[in-house]
Structure formats: structure tokens, C-alpha cells
Amino acid sequence: MSASVSNLLKSSLISLAATLISLVAGFASSVIAARLLGPAGSGKVAYALWIATSAAALADMGLPQMLLRNTASLSGNGETWKMLVRTAFRSFLISVGMVGVAILVFAAIVYVQRDAHHAWLWIVTGLLFLSYAFHVFSTAVARGRNNFGQTARTTALGGILQIPLVFAGAWLLGPTGALIGYVARYLPQALQLREYIDHGTEPSRNVLTPEMRRYGRHIWLSDLIEILVLSRIEFLFLGLLLSSTSIGYFAAGLGLAGLIEQVMLQISPALIVSFTEVHAKNDRRILNAAYSRVIRIVALVMLPISFGGAAIMPDLLPLIFGDAFDPAIPASATLLAFVWLAGLSVIPWGIIGASGRSILLLRVQITSAILMILLLTALVPLIGLQGAAIARAAIVTLTFVLLGWTAWKYVGVSVPVAALARTVVAALFCAAAAGVGIYSFDGAAALATAIPAGAVVYMLAVRFLRLITQEDVKILIDTVGSKLPGTSRPVADKLLTFLAPR
């Protein structure tokens, strides 16, 4: 196994371990908000989270992504990386300050026109914006310096803080209180930023090369489109055309789908750093091998969860969020059935970004954003909540196709279409088996039957369709085996041997 592929997988697994804790905390928080606040209250929380993250994307000007890509390449250049971070941070502070003041002014207007209760919701949203923005900047620098262990620890700590604070806040103060838990979620890594800012280093605009500025500008515009339009723009249409309750329904479906998508979004920094290192060596063979293998392995994990999850949605969603969320079942099933494409899109996105062709990513984002707005404009008035879900499913499919084609044409790497098609077939068998359990029983009994049935059928399909190779087994054992507890290693070896027969 090449060192590049090994490092890529190790960095990804470190991020994944912390992400699992964070995702559990985030999902638990959304369930708590749904149970305590109902669809309308949880819809307000979801809308405030979208506003805060959108404002952070507007304020960061692409600087975190620029630092993620370039601080690693400057590791051998003495103090140059410190100067780069210091210079970027100065611009970052100015922009964040301007956006933060704008949110406070809006809160003051709300106080005058409505009341203090609504104003406090916007004040806490402003605090969430600041916490999230500094978290993103600090995380980018840490990962650019290959400090994935630190970001893993702070992510885990933030997740641990989030759950009790969201519960207490929602119980005592409603939607505004619930947001306080989300503020705490991002503080641990935000506070780590102090160790990366060397105040003894003078900022210099000269350290920002034209290529860095261009990359940051293109990524900034891409992120704005992603967050403002492609991630949660449905909230705006649902809120304007329907109600905050419909936002709560859609947010519940996105919460389940996001458990899968966010795993890949957290892994993506490791992909960008690792793909950048391979690009620097100009080894196309290793790059294409790494790209293809990561897609195959990630698809093996995501597809059964995506298809199987959609199949069990009629019993899963009410069990988690309550019977009040029954109207969200069809939309939630649609979102989950297509979220694997959104997760896989991170891989061609990462390899295109690592190649420095950020303008190509911007073109894909603009195309997807325009079509998303057109689809939502047409479908939400016609079929409401399900229209928003269908629009998202269509756009994530289009985006993956465009990114895969772009990576093939401009970077020279190709999606393993045949292997991906066989994995889709295996996942469909998994979903069919799970569906039998769901429609044969009710409630918890249905889930207890459907999930094991789907898992067993999927493993059999993986074996007979030969979706895992011996080389895959060797890489997984070398990368993960040493980190497993001693008692579980033989089980993992036997499982992999079963799935990949000689």
C-alpha cells in the first residue's frame, strides 16, 4: 500500500471517529428540539442555524479553505505559514465584525418592531454565527497543519457539551435556549485559534499569492452558493409559501440524511490535504488509484444506509421524532434515498479543489444553484414538502454527475462506474429485505426485523458480487486493524475474509 493512500485513510478515519460523536450529538439535539418544541419550534431552530452558517460563509471570504490547502504546503518554509495565517486572520476579523454588527442591528430592529423575546432569538443567532465562524477558521488551520487529532478532540468535546445544553435551553427558554447549546458546540475549537495566531509575526499582503487569492475567491463563491442555495434554500421557500411547521418537517428529514452527508463533509479536509500531496508528486497512477478506491469504499458504506434507511422510514421517523412528524415521511424517505450521491460528491470536489481548478467547482455550483431555484419555484407550490425533496434529489444527482465528469476531463481521474453500479444493486437488495420487515410488522418490532435482515442480505450481496478485493482487505487491516481492541480484531478479520473470498 502506498504511503499516500495510507495517510489519506488514517487522516480520514481520525476525522470520522470525531465526526461520529459530533453527528450523534447533533442528531440527538435535533430530536430533543423536535420533542420539546414541536415542528414549529424546531423549524425556528433550524432556520436560525441556516442563517448563522450562511452568515459565516459570507464573512469568511474563502480564507479557511485557502488556509486548509496552503498551510500544509508551507510546512517546510520556516515561519511563512504563520505569516499567512496572521495576514488572513486580519482580513477575517474585519469581515466577521461587519457581519456581526449587521446581525445585532437587525436584532435591534426586531426589538423595536416586535418584542424582546424575538430580539433575543436573533442575538443568540449572532453569537452562534461568531462561534461557528471562528470554529471554521481554526479548524481549517489545524487540519492544514495536519493536526487532525486536535480537531477530533475538540469536536468530541463540543458534541458532549451540546446535548445537555440544548435540552436545558429548549426546556427553559424555547428555541432561543436551544440555540445556546449549538453555540457551545463550536467553542472548543474556536478557542484553539490562539495557538495558531502568532502576534509577533507581522502580517504581509505579499504572502498571499495571486493563485491563493484566486483559489480563495472561487471557493468562497462556491461555498456561498452551497450554503445559501444548495444546502437549506428549501427553508426559505417552505417558510414563505407554507409555514415554519413545514420547515420543521423538512429539517427532520434533513437531519436523518445529514447523518450520512456530514460524515463525508468532515472527511473532505483530509481528502483535500492528501490529494494535494499526491498532486505535488505528479503521480497520476497513484492519484487515480486513490480516487477510485475511496469512491468504492465510501459507496460500500453509504449506499446500504441510504437505500435501507429510506425503506424503513415509515417506522423510523415517528419513532425518533414523534407522531407529529408523520407528514414528513415521504419527503424524508426521498431525501435519504439520494443522500449517498451528495456524500460521494465530496470526493470529486476534493480532488478538483486539490488540483487548484477552483473555477471549475464554481461553475458546477452556479449551474446547480440556478436549477435548484427553478425547481423549487415550480415544485413547492404544486406538491409542497415533497416537491422540495424531489428538487433536492434531482440536484444532488446532477451535481455528482457534473463533478465526476469535470474530474475526469480536467484532472484525469474516473469514477469506477461498474463497481458503483454493482454496489447500487447490492444496496437495492438490502432495501428490499428491510422493506419486507417494515411492511410485515409495526413499530419497534418492524425495525428490529428490518435492520438485521437488510444487513445480512447486503453482506451476502457484497460477497457474491465481489465488491471488496483482497487489496482492499489488506489496506483496511493495515490502516484500521492496529487501532481495534484486541478482542474485536479476529472478528473483523473473519468478516473481511467472508466479504472478500479468495
Side-chain angles (χ1 to χ4, degrees):
M1 175 178 59
S2 70
S4 298
V5 175
S6 177
N7 289 336
L8 185 154
L9 289 173
K10 287 179 181 178
S11 297
S12 298
L13 288 169
I14 291 173
S15 292
L16 177 60
T19 298
L20 291 176
I21 298 174
S22 179
L23 287 179
V24 169
F27 186 67
S29 297
S30 67
V31 172
I32 290 169
R35 290 284 186 174
L36 294 180
L37 304 175
S42 62
K44 290 180 181 179
V45 172
Y47 189 75
L49 287 169
W50 177 57
I51 292 295
T53 54
S54 298
L58 176 65
D60 70 30
M61 300 183 295
L63 293 171
Q65 288 292 340
M66 183 272 293
L67 292 173
L68 172 66
R69 182 170 182 265
N70 291 285
T71 51
S73 62
L74 295 175
S75 60
N77 295 340
E79 301 298 302
T80 307
W81 74 269
K82 293 183 179 180
M83 186 181 297
L84 176 64
V85 173
R86 184 80 168 87
T87 304
F89 186 63
R90 182 176 62 178
S91 299
F92 177 79
L93 279 180
I94 295 171
S95 181
V96 166
M98 293 172 62
V99 175
V101 169
I103 294 175
L104 289 178
V105 169
F106 184 77
I109 294 172
V110 170
Y111 174 76
V112 171
Q113 294 188 343
R114 301 189 70 174
D115 53 41
H117 176 75
H118 290 88
W120 270 110
L121 178 67
W122 285 100
I123 291 173
V124 177
T125 300
L127 294 176
L128 176 59
F129 152 71
L130 292 174
S131 177
Y132 180 75
F134 282 97
H135 162 85
V136 170
F137 192 95
S138 178
T139 300
V141 179
R143 287 174 169 170
R145 301 297 300 163
N146 207 29
N147 289 335
F148 288 92
Q150 180 192 89
T151 59
R153 289 190 297 272
T154 56
T155 297
L157 177 59
I160 292 170
L161 291 172
Q162 181 180 352
I163 295 176
L165 289 176
V166 168
F167 178 85
W171 185 31
L172 297 174
L173 301 173
T176 301
L179 288 175
I180 295 174
Y182 289 92
V183 174
R185 154 68 181 85
Y186 299 110
L187 283 178
Q189 183 61 44
L191 296 175
Q192 292 293 325
L193 184 57
R194 294 172 297 175
E195 70 180 70
Y196 297 109
I197 304 297
D198 186 354
H199 294 285
T201 301
E202 288 297 323
S204 172
R205 300 290 293 179
N206 295 329
V207 76
L208 291 170
T209 66
E211 193 279 333
M212 290 181 186
R213 295 175 189 274
R214 183 170 57 252
Y215 177 84
R217 184 168 58 250
H218 292 160
I219 289 296
W220 179 44
L221 293 173
S222 296
D223 283 349
L224 279 178
I225 294 169
E226 173 66 31
I227 293 177
L228 289 174
V229 180
L230 296 178
S231 67
R232 298 291 186 271
I233 190 65
E234 298 94 339
F235 289 173
L236 182 61
F237 280 82
L238 292 171
L240 291 175
L241 299 175
L242 298 177
S243 65
S244 61
T245 300
S246 65
I247 296 177
Y249 289 148
F250 199 80
L254 282 179
L256 287 168
L259 287 174
I260 303 173
E261 186 176 358
Q262 285 298 317
V263 168
M264 286 307 303
L265 290 178
Q266 292 295 323
I267 288 175
S268 64
L271 295 176
I272 292 173
V273 172
S274 299
F275 285 147
T276 301
E277 292 174 353
V278 179
H279 265 291
K281 297 175 182 177
N282 198 28
D283 193 325
R284 294 287 180 181
R285 185 186 62 81
I286 294 178
L287 183 64
N288 192 58
Y291 178 74
S292 178
R293 178 167 286 111
V294 169
I295 287 179
R296 288 195 301 103
I297 292 177
V298 170
L300 278 168
V301 176
M302 293 186 67
L303 268 163
I305 299 174
S306 186
F307 287 4
I312 65 175
M313 193 60 68
D315 285 279
L316 181 64
L317 192 74
L319 183 67
I320 295 175
F321 291 98
D323 293 336
F325 285 83
D326 278 353
I329 290 174
S332 300
T334 301
L335 291 171
L336 198 56
F338 285 86
V339 75
W340 67 278
L341 287 165
L344 285 186
S345 294
V346 171
I347 303 169
W349 177 281
I351 207 164
I352 295 167
S355 71
R357 294 176 171 87
S358 52
I359 185 63
L360 301 177
L361 298 175
L362 181 58
R363 291 173 185 170
V364 171
Q365 292 291 80
I366 291 174
T367 302
S368 298
I370 293 172
L371 292 175
M372 173 67 111
I373 292 173
L374 292 175
L375 283 174
L376 288 171
T377 302
L379 295 177
V380 171
L382 288 176
I383 47 180
L385 195 66
Q386 184 65 5
I390 292 172
R392 173 170 287 266
I395 293 304
V396 298
T397 303
L398 172 68
T399 301
F400 177 70
V401 171
L402 289 176
L403 287 172
W405 177 82
T406 301
W408 169 75
K409 182 175 181 180
Y410 294 97
V411 187
V413 294
S414 56
V415 173
V417 177
L420 204 56
R422 294 200 307 273
T423 308
V424 168
V425 171
L428 288 173
F429 280 119
C430 167
V436 170
I438 287 296
Y439 290 103
S440 300
F441 303 95
D442 292 316
L447 294 174
T449 303
I451 294 174
V456 169
V457 170
Y458 183 66
M459 285 190 289
L460 291 172
V462 168
R463 175 185 171 89
F464 288 110
L465 291 173
R466 296 187 176 276
L467 299 179
I468 298 180
T469 67
Q470 289 298 317
E471 187 179 2
D472 294 335
V473 172
K474 183 177 185 304
I475 289 175
L476 290 171
I477 290 176
D478 290 346
T479 305
V480 186
S482 62
K483 297 178 174 59
L484 292 174
T487 55
S488 62
R489 290 176 197 168
V491 177
D493 288 342
K494 291 179 180 178
L495 177 61
L496 289 172
T497 302
F498 172 79
L499 295 176
R502 295 183 182 275

Short mmCIF file of all heavy atoms in Angstrom, two decimals, residues 55-63 88-103 129-130 133-134 220:
data_model
loop_
_atom_site.label_atom_id
_atom_site.label_comp_id
_atom_site.label_asym_id
_atom_site.label_seq_id
_atom_site.Cartn_x
_atom_site.Cartn_y
_atom_site.Cartn_z
N ALA A 55 -24.32 33.24 7.22
CA ALA A 55 -23.59 34.48 7.54
C ALA A 55 -22.10 34.21 7.70
O ALA A 55 -21.26 35.02 7.27
CB ALA A 55 -24.16 35.09 8.82
N ALA A 56 -21.75 33.05 8.28
CA ALA A 56 -20.33 32.69 8.43
C ALA A 56 -19.68 32.47 7.08
O ALA A 56 -18.54 32.89 6.84
CB ALA A 56 -20.20 31.44 9.30
N ALA A 57 -20.40 31.82 6.17
CA ALA A 57 -19.86 31.61 4.82
C ALA A 57 -19.66 32.94 4.10
O ALA A 57 -18.69 33.12 3.36
CB ALA A 57 -20.81 30.71 4.02
N LEU A 58 -20.57 33.88 4.32
CA LEU A 58 -20.43 35.20 3.72
C LEU A 58 -19.22 35.93 4.29
O LEU A 58 -18.47 36.60 3.57
CB LEU A 58 -21.70 36.01 3.97
CG LEU A 58 -21.70 37.47 3.50
CD1 LEU A 58 -21.59 37.53 1.97
CD2 LEU A 58 -22.96 38.19 3.98
N ALA A 59 -18.99 35.80 5.60
CA ALA A 59 -17.95 36.57 6.27
C ALA A 59 -16.55 36.01 6.08
O ALA A 59 -15.57 36.76 6.13
CB ALA A 59 -18.26 36.67 7.77
N ASP A 60 -16.42 34.69 5.86
CA ASP A 60 -15.06 34.12 5.87
C ASP A 60 -14.28 34.37 4.57
O ASP A 60 -13.07 34.16 4.53
CB ASP A 60 -15.09 32.63 6.21
CG ASP A 60 -15.68 31.75 5.11
OD1 ASP A 60 -15.58 32.08 3.92
OD2 ASP A 60 -16.23 30.68 5.46
N MET A 61 -14.96 34.78 3.49
CA MET A 61 -14.32 35.18 2.23
C MET A 61 -13.44 34.09 1.62
O MET A 61 -12.50 34.36 0.88
CB MET A 61 -13.49 36.45 2.42
CG MET A 61 -14.29 37.65 2.88
SD MET A 61 -13.31 39.16 2.99
CE MET A 61 -12.17 38.71 4.31
N GLY A 62 -13.71 32.82 1.96
CA GLY A 62 -12.92 31.73 1.42
C GLY A 62 -11.57 31.54 2.08
O GLY A 62 -10.78 30.69 1.66
N LEU A 63 -11.29 32.32 3.12
CA LEU A 63 -9.98 32.25 3.77
C LEU A 63 -9.73 30.90 4.45
O LEU A 63 -8.61 30.37 4.36
CB LEU A 63 -9.84 33.39 4.78
CG LEU A 63 -9.79 34.80 4.16
CD1 LEU A 63 -9.89 35.87 5.25
CD2 LEU A 63 -8.51 34.98 3.36
N ALA A 88 -4.25 36.42 6.87
CA ALA A 88 -5.63 36.02 6.59
C ALA A 88 -6.55 36.35 7.77
O ALA A 88 -7.69 36.78 7.58
CB ALA A 88 -5.69 34.52 6.29
N PHE A 89 -6.04 36.19 8.99
CA PHE A 89 -6.86 36.44 10.18
C PHE A 89 -7.23 37.92 10.30
O PHE A 89 -8.33 38.25 10.74
CB PHE A 89 -6.11 35.98 11.42
CG PHE A 89 -6.91 36.07 12.69
CD1 PHE A 89 -8.06 35.31 12.84
CD2 PHE A 89 -6.53 36.91 13.72
CE1 PHE A 89 -8.81 35.38 14.01
CE2 PHE A 89 -7.26 36.98 14.89
CZ PHE A 89 -8.41 36.22 15.04
N ARG A 90 -6.34 38.79 9.90
CA ARG A 90 -6.65 40.23 9.97
C ARG A 90 -7.84 40.56 9.07
O ARG A 90 -8.77 41.26 9.49
CB ARG A 90 -5.43 41.05 9.55
CG ARG A 90 -5.64 42.56 9.64
CD ARG A 90 -4.39 43.33 9.30
NE ARG A 90 -3.95 43.07 7.92
CZ ARG A 90 -2.89 43.67 7.37
NH1 ARG A 90 -2.15 44.51 8.09
NH2 ARG A 90 -2.57 43.39 6.12
N SER A 91 -7.83 40.06 7.84
CA SER A 91 -8.96 40.29 6.94
C SER A 91 -10.23 39.61 7.46
O SER A 91 -11.33 40.16 7.36
CB SER A 91 -8.62 39.76 5.54
OG SER A 91 -7.49 40.42 5.01
N PHE A 92 -10.05 38.42 8.02
CA PHE A 92 -11.18 37.66 8.56
C PHE A 92 -11.88 38.43 9.68
O PHE A 92 -13.11 38.50 9.72
CB PHE A 92 -10.65 36.32 9.07
CG PHE A 92 -11.68 35.44 9.74
CD1 PHE A 92 -12.57 34.70 8.98
CD2 PHE A 92 -11.73 35.35 11.12
CE1 PHE A 92 -13.51 33.87 9.60
CE2 PHE A 92 -12.66 34.53 11.74
CZ PHE A 92 -13.55 33.79 10.98
N LEU A 93 -11.10 39.03 10.59
CA LEU A 93 -11.68 39.77 11.71
C LEU A 93 -12.53 40.94 11.22
O LEU A 93 -13.61 41.21 11.75
CB LEU A 93 -10.58 40.27 12.63
CG LEU A 93 -10.00 39.29 13.65
CD1 LEU A 93 -8.91 39.97 14.47
CD2 LEU A 93 -11.09 38.76 14.57
N ILE A 94 -12.04 41.65 10.24
CA ILE A 94 -12.78 42.81 9.72
C ILE A 94 -14.12 42.37 9.14
O ILE A 94 -15.17 42.95 9.44
CB ILE A 94 -11.94 43.54 8.65
CG1 ILE A 94 -10.68 44.14 9.29
CG2 ILE A 94 -12.77 44.63 7.97
CD1 ILE A 94 -9.69 44.69 8.29
N SER A 95 -14.09 41.35 8.33
CA SER A 95 -15.32 40.88 7.69
C SER A 95 -16.31 40.32 8.70
O SER A 95 -17.52 40.61 8.64
CB SER A 95 -14.96 39.81 6.64
OG SER A 95 -16.10 39.35 5.98
N VAL A 96 -15.82 39.50 9.63
CA VAL A 96 -16.70 38.93 10.66
C VAL A 96 -17.32 40.04 11.52
O VAL A 96 -18.50 39.98 11.87
CB VAL A 96 -15.93 37.92 11.53
CG1 VAL A 96 -16.71 37.57 12.80
CG2 VAL A 96 -15.64 36.66 10.75
N GLY A 97 -16.51 41.05 11.84
CA GLY A 97 -17.03 42.17 12.62
C GLY A 97 -18.17 42.89 11.92
O GLY A 97 -19.19 43.25 12.54
N MET A 98 -18.04 43.09 10.62
CA MET A 98 -19.08 43.78 9.86
C MET A 98 -20.37 42.98 9.83
O MET A 98 -21.46 43.52 10.05
CB MET A 98 -18.58 44.04 8.43
CG MET A 98 -17.44 45.04 8.35
SD MET A 98 -16.71 45.14 6.69
CE MET A 98 -18.12 45.73 5.75
N VAL A 99 -20.27 41.68 9.58
CA VAL A 99 -21.47 40.85 9.53
C VAL A 99 -22.10 40.73 10.92
O VAL A 99 -23.33 40.77 11.07
CB VAL A 99 -21.15 39.45 8.96
CG1 VAL A 99 -22.37 38.54 9.02
CG2 VAL A 99 -20.66 39.57 7.52
N GLY A 100 -21.25 40.61 11.96
CA GLY A 100 -21.77 40.53 13.32
C GLY A 100 -22.55 41.78 13.72
O GLY A 100 -23.63 41.69 14.34
N VAL A 101 -22.04 42.94 13.36
CA VAL A 101 -22.75 44.20 13.65
C VAL A 101 -24.08 44.25 12.91
O VAL A 101 -25.10 44.68 13.46
CB VAL A 101 -21.87 45.41 13.27
CG1 VAL A 101 -22.69 46.71 13.29
CG2 VAL A 101 -20.68 45.52 14.21
N ALA A 102 -24.11 43.77 11.67
CA ALA A 102 -25.35 43.76 10.89
C ALA A 102 -26.42 42.90 11.58
O ALA A 102 -27.60 43.29 11.62
CB ALA A 102 -25.08 43.25 9.49
N ILE A 103 -26.01 41.75 12.13
CA ILE A 103 -26.98 40.89 12.83
C ILE A 103 -27.51 41.59 14.08
O ILE A 103 -28.71 41.53 14.39
CB ILE A 103 -26.34 39.54 13.18
CG1 ILE A 103 -26.01 38.76 11.90
CG2 ILE A 103 -27.28 38.71 14.05
CD1 ILE A 103 -25.27 37.45 12.15
N PHE A 129 -23.31 32.62 15.09
CA PHE A 129 -22.53 33.00 13.92
C PHE A 129 -21.06 33.18 14.27
O PHE A 129 -20.16 32.67 13.59
CB PHE A 129 -23.10 34.28 13.30
CG PHE A 129 -22.10 35.12 12.58
CD1 PHE A 129 -21.58 34.71 11.36
CD2 PHE A 129 -21.67 36.32 13.11
CE1 PHE A 129 -20.63 35.48 10.69
CE2 PHE A 129 -20.74 37.10 12.46
CZ PHE A 129 -20.21 36.68 11.24
N LEU A 130 -20.78 33.92 15.36
CA LEU A 130 -19.39 34.16 15.76
C LEU A 130 -18.70 32.87 16.16
O LEU A 130 -17.55 32.61 15.75
CB LEU A 130 -19.36 35.16 16.93
CG LEU A 130 -19.78 36.59 16.62
CD1 LEU A 130 -19.84 37.41 17.90
CD2 LEU A 130 -18.81 37.23 15.63
N ALA A 133 -18.10 30.78 12.97
CA ALA A 133 -17.11 31.36 12.06
C ALA A 133 -15.69 31.14 12.56
O ALA A 133 -14.80 30.73 11.79
CB ALA A 133 -17.39 32.86 11.89
N PHE A 134 -15.44 31.39 13.85
CA PHE A 134 -14.10 31.17 14.40
C PHE A 134 -13.75 29.68 14.46
O PHE A 134 -12.59 29.30 14.30
CB PHE A 134 -13.98 31.81 15.78
CG PHE A 134 -13.80 33.30 15.73
CD1 PHE A 134 -14.87 34.17 15.89
CD2 PHE A 134 -12.54 33.85 15.50
CE1 PHE A 134 -14.71 35.54 15.82
CE2 PHE A 134 -12.36 35.22 15.43
CZ PHE A 134 -13.45 36.07 15.59
N TRP A 220 -14.82 30.64 -2.03
CA TRP A 220 -15.77 31.46 -1.27
C TRP A 220 -17.10 31.54 -2.00
O TRP A 220 -18.17 31.30 -1.40
CB TRP A 220 -15.18 32.85 -1.06
CG TRP A 220 -16.08 33.79 -0.31
CD1 TRP A 220 -16.82 33.52 0.80
CD2 TRP A 220 -16.33 35.17 -0.63
NE1 TRP A 220 -17.50 34.64 1.22
CE2 TRP A 220 -17.23 35.66 0.36
CE3 TRP A 220 -15.88 36.02 -1.62
CZ2 TRP A 220 -17.67 36.98 0.35
CZ3 TRP A 220 -16.32 37.35 -1.61
CH2 TRP A 220 -17.21 37.81 -0.65
#
